[in-house]
Amino acid sequence: MYNAGKILIGLAIFFGLATFPFFYNMGKAVAKPDPKLDTPEIMKLAKQDRKCVEPKEFMRAEHMQLLNNWRDSVVRDNVRVYVNSEGKKFDMSLQNTCMRCHSNKKKFCDECHNYMAVKPYCWDCHIAPKEKES
Amino acid sequence: MKTLIPFFAVVILVLLALAGVNMGNQQFLFGVIIPYAAVTVFIAGIIYRVVKWGRSPVPFSIPTTCGQQKSLPWIKQNKLENPSTTLWVMARMALEVFFFRSLFRNIKTELREGPKLTYGSDKWLWMAGLAFHWSFLIILIRHFRFFAQGVPLPIHIIESLDSFLQIGIPLLYITDALLLGAVTFLFARRVYLPSVRYISLPADYFPLFLIFGIAVSGVLMRYFVRVDIVSVKQLTMGLVSFTPVIPKGISSIFYVHLFLISVLFAYFPFSKLVHMAGVFMSPTRNMPNDSREVRHINPWNYPVHIHTYDEYENDFRDKMKAAGIPVEKE
């Protein structure tokens, strides 16, 4: 190989970049998020009523979209009542509906969001429920 | 045909992933085996190509130059356009890699009424190319979030800059829109301009369709048909920590996305896309123009036995003297 020194340096950089994710996670325990559902508000509900606004699978994937729709509906159309797929009514509110049940933001919302490294900017304005520092 | 074959090739790839996951339940194949195989082929392939280039001899000193060469001290050298040292070669290379300088010089030739030949600057290709490559890079870097526990700060910064318009939830990434726009433009350009269409091959269209498919499936997942992203990250983290898992309930569009990316990775080293490595290996760009200072030895040169005049005289001195021919050494 001609110019072997320079080429090998280049290849080493390439190899390092291409395999960086593998090295970066070496020796780190892979913990999966475990959102806690044991808030007083949820525990008060009867076992069969311990349900979210929509089915769990839907919430897991689509809760941001749902929140966005709620926001638009309240702020733009002044429609504040949400009727879910089972016909149950909810007040469309981040703080007064979601966070009333999920009052453990740090152990619930943040559990997933930290894992995914997303930081919803909602809490710049909306007030997060008061929690004991843990 | 030149566009339809690659188009249907990508459609078939999409259907293959859909069928494999929905009908064949091949989640492990599409989620683990193929991605690992693709990354291996990618890394090995690039190394193979670069080593192969490295073994090819460069017979002549052939840097492209477009400025005053290093010459007499009172003639000003254009160091960037005509570099004579490694440092300036690297500077020129960096500008080429990061800002596509040679494409910036692209000109359009037109025959106007008259007939008159006119030249004008044509920056569209440069702009679309820049938008495309930078968006792609930023998107690639952003995806690191799926491959790391505890995402480093620079990734956060890139991500928040990319989404700073704060449109919708999840926030719209500017690069997503740019990438789709640029790929569409680059495709339209190939189809629309007759001269470019004429020289375009299926191998030019295929990567465009493939990247378009990747971008569309990604955009669909983020903004329209949502997938359970927590499970997706469990899968990707399993891959990078060599403890593969297939969480239940990831919808098939994710496997389409992953499969198209795997195809891109595996295809990369053996296609025109390998210009990513090739740009560094082009003799026209990586050689300094120092042919007046350093002799470039052609590695092909056959070791010719040279019979010098001294040797010649030694062989024939007596005869030369006898014939009265002057000799250098008595």
Side-chain angles (χ1 to χ4, degrees):
Chain A
M1 201 155 64
Y2 304 96
N3 287 319
K6 283 179 193 161
I7 291 178
L8 287 179
I9 292 174
L11 281 178
I13 293 173
F14 163 73
F15 188 79
L17 286 177
T19 55
F20 180 63
F22 296 103
F23 289 111
Y24 186 83
N25 289 295
M26 218 147 66
K28 284 189 196 170
V30 182
K32 78 179 215 217
D34 177 24
K36 292 271 186 307
L37 290 162
D38 53 356
T39 61
E41 197 64 37
I42 293 178
M43 296 314 261
K44 261 199 295 194
L45 298 166
K47 264 245 153 55
Q48 69 272 18
D49 287 341
R50 284 188 191 156
K51 281 192 232 150
C52 197
V53 176
E54 292 285 352
K56 186 174 178 177
E57 283 64 42
F58 177 88
M59 288 311 286
R60 270 180 87 91
E62 306 254 356
H63 64 277
M64 39 303 210
Q65 185 61 45
L66 183 84
L67 280 169
N68 199 26
N69 293 346
W70 281 20
R71 176 170 65 171
D72 289 354
S73 147
V74 168
V75 178
R76 298 189 185 158
D77 306 331
N78 193 25
V79 174
R80 287 180 183 261
V81 180
Y82 177 74
V83 183
N84 77 358
S85 46
E86 293 177 348
K88 230 170 127 194
K89 289 199 173 86
F90 287 93
D91 180 24
M92 291 197 204
S93 170
L94 174 60
Q95 282 160 246
N96 300 336
T97 305
C98 304
M99 305 321 283
R100 182 173 50 83
C101 282
H102 299 296
S103 56
N104 53 345
K105 174 172 170 290
K106 288 205 185 76
K107 286 253 157 56
F108 185 76
C109 312
D110 294 353
E111 182 80 15
C112 289
H113 295 165
N114 288 344
Y115 179 69
M116 289 310 304
V118 280
K119 246 182 139 45
Y121 66 103
C122 321
W123 313 108
D124 293 357
C125 303
H126 291 271
I127 298 171
K130 278 210 182 68
E131 282 177 78
K132 284 193 271 325
E133 288 297 324
S134 54
Chain B
M1 281 317 266
K2 286 195 303 189
T3 45
L4 284 184
I5 290 173
F7 176 74
F8 283 111
V10 174
V11 171
I12 287 171
L13 290 176
V14 171
L15 294 179
L16 208 64
L18 280 178
V21 171
N22 286 341
M23 277 131 67
N25 265 327
Q26 294 294 325
Q27 271 87 346
F28 196 76
L29 177 67
F30 284 96
V32 177
I33 298 174
I34 292 177
Y36 273 142
V39 169
T40 314
V41 169
F42 173 70
I43 294 177
I46 295 268
I47 292 178
Y48 167 77
R49 290 296 299 260
V50 168
V51 169
K52 203 171 155 203
W53 280 320
R55 293 166 67 98
S56 328
V58 179
F60 307 110
S61 176
I62 49 165
T64 32
T65 60
C66 25
Q68 172 58 49
Q69 180 181 16
K70 183 167 185 214
S71 176
L72 298 166
W74 44 269
I75 297 177
K76 192 155 173 271
Q77 179 196 2
N78 191 337
K79 291 204 167 101
L80 200 59
E81 305 290 11
N82 199 332
S84 56
T85 58
T86 311
L87 190 72
W88 282 100
V89 167
M90 278 159 65
R92 182 167 81 150
M93 183 69 95
L95 283 174
E96 182 66 30
V97 169
F98 289 118
F99 302 109
F100 309 165
R101 239 169 128 253
S102 54
L103 206 53
F104 186 74
R105 278 196 265 264
N106 190 27
I107 42 177
K108 188 167 63 181
T109 329
E110 251 177 41
L111 208 52
R112 294 259 176 91
E113 256 178 87
K116 226 188 212 163
L117 194 61
T118 60
Y119 300 93
S121 98
D122 184 10
K123 301 271 184 278
W124 286 102
L125 179 60
W126 172 76
M127 251 159 52
L130 212 58
F132 169 78
H133 283 85
W134 275 104
S135 298
F136 206 114
L137 178 67
I138 292 173
I139 290 172
L140 188 77
I141 294 174
R142 273 209 275 93
H143 273 73
F144 188 59
R145 151 172 104 93
F146 292 100
F147 297 94
Q149 194 97 55
V151 176
L153 186 65
I155 309 275
H156 276 298
I157 296 176
I158 290 175
E159 198 174 332
S160 54
L161 285 178
D162 198 358
S163 61
F164 93 111
L165 294 179
Q166 299 195 332
I167 297 174
I169 302 179
L171 301 178
L172 173 80
Y173 285 132
I174 299 165
T175 48
D176 286 4
L178 273 179
L179 182 77
L180 278 179
V183 172
T184 311
F185 175 86
L186 292 174
F187 169 71
R189 176 183 160 270
R190 281 196 185 278
V191 181
Y192 179 69
L193 298 180
S195 51
V196 185
R197 184 170 61 220
Y198 183 70
I199 58 165
S200 294
L201 298 172
D204 294 313
Y205 292 111
F206 180 68
L208 284 176
F209 289 133
L210 192 62
I211 289 167
F212 194 76
I214 291 171
V216 166
S217 56
V219 162
L220 278 179
M221 266 194 291
R222 184 169 168 85
Y223 307 103
F224 301 102
V225 281
R226 297 232 159 52
V227 293
D228 182 350
I229 302 176
V230 173
S231 302
V232 168
K233 181 153 179 181
Q234 266 166 269
L235 190 151
T236 52
M237 287 307 293
L239 288 179
V240 287
S241 58
F242 295 111
T243 48
V245 279
I246 297 292
K248 275 202 239 2
I250 303 182
S251 79
S252 41
I253 182 165
F254 167 72
Y255 290 100
V256 170
H257 189 64
L258 190 60
F259 182 56
L260 292 183
I261 293 166
S262 302
V263 172
L264 182 72
F265 265 64
Y267 173 74
F268 204 100
F270 310 104
S271 62
K272 67 177 212 167
L273 300 176
V274 77
H275 68 273
M276 175 184 89
V279 63
F280 298 104
M281 301 297 288
S282 331
T284 51
R285 302 232 144 249
N286 69 13
M287 298 179 98
N289 183 18
D290 55 3
S291 53
R292 293 189 178 184
E293 298 158 55
V294 184
R295 178 166 172 224
H296 183 85
I297 308 235
N298 182 351
W300 281 341
N301 279 351
Y302 184 78
V304 182
H305 176 72
I306 298 162
H307 198 221
T308 61
Y309 180 74
D310 276 351
E311 289 162 342
Y312 171 86
E313 212 181 80
N314 289 344
D315 290 349
F316 298 105
R317 187 167 290 113
D318 299 339
K319 295 195 174 79
M320 288 165 80
K321 275 190 186 157
I325 298 172
V327 290
E328 291 198 338
K329 270 192 242 146
E330 282 306 324

